[in-house]
């Protein structure tokens, strides 16, 4: 996985014919982990950049904070969801709904700028 600045130009360099898992970061803070299972990694990242379905992630993207992204191509389509779950457990992204569900159970976590 190579870290790249989250901008239009670098997203265009992501594979347009590969699927896998990606994460979006601000410094050492993981903002979001997602999967590209039915769309290519490039298409999925462009969707977030243009207007994310996730309100917290969208606020981060629209902010002035520099963001970075990583992606991992996964050849086996069935393994993508397992890899995403693993990355969510490992990185504890603040904008993922899985973590927000835990927040409701265990109390407020840092999810804002």
């Amino acid at each position: 996985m190579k870290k790249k600045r989250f901008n239009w130009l670098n997203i265009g360099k992501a594979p347009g014919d590969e699927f896998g898992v990606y994460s979006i970061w601000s410094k050492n803070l993981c903002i979001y982990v997602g999967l590209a299972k039915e769309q290519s990694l490039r298409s999925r990242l462009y969707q977030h950049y243009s207007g994310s379905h996730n309100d917290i992630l969208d606020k981060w993207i629209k902010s002035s904070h520099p963001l970075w992204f990583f992606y991992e191509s996964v050849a086996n389509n069935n393994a993508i969801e397992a890899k995403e779950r693993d990355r969510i457990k490992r990185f504890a992204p603040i904008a993922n709904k899985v973590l927000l569900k835990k927040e409701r159970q265990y109390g407020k976590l840092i999810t804002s700028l």
Side-chain angles (χ1 to χ4, degrees), residues 92-94 99-100 102-104 106-112:
I94 63 171
L99 193 65
L100 294 176
K102 285 184 183 178
E103 180 178 288
R104 286 191 289 274
Y106 302 113
K108 184 77 175 148
L109 301 170
I110 300 170
T111 58
S112 62

Side-chain angles (χ1 to χ4, degrees), residues 10-100:
N10 285 334
I11 292 171
K13 295 176 185 174
D17 59 350
E18 294 180 18
F19 305 95
V21 178
Y22 58 91
S23 55
I24 300 173
W25 296 75
S26 175
K27 296 185 182 178
N28 293 330
L29 176 67
C30 184
I31 307 298
Y32 186 78
V33 172
L35 59 87
K37 189 173 180 180
E38 297 176 14
Q39 299 170 293
S40 70
L41 286 161
R42 183 187 312 155
S43 295
R44 197 69 188 103
L45 289 165
Y46 272 142
Q47 278 185 336
H48 287 301
Y49 190 81
S50 299
S52 181
H53 67 285
N54 183 305
D55 292 337
I56 296 169
L57 177 58
D58 199 43
K59 286 178 186 177
W60 276 91
I61 291 170
K62 291 177 179 174
S63 76
S64 60
H65 290 272
L67 298 178
W68 306 89
F69 72 96
F70 294 89
Y71 62 84
E72 297 176 71
S73 297
V74 179
N76 182 350
N77 214 16
N78 295 328
I80 292 175
E81 289 179 16
K83 191 167 280 258
E84 181 198 33
R85 282 191 303 273
D86 175 66
R87 298 303 180 262
I88 288 171
K89 286 178 187 176
R90 185 185 309 174
F91 301 143
I94 63 171
N96 278 77
K97 292 179 184 190
V98 171
L99 193 65
L100 294 176

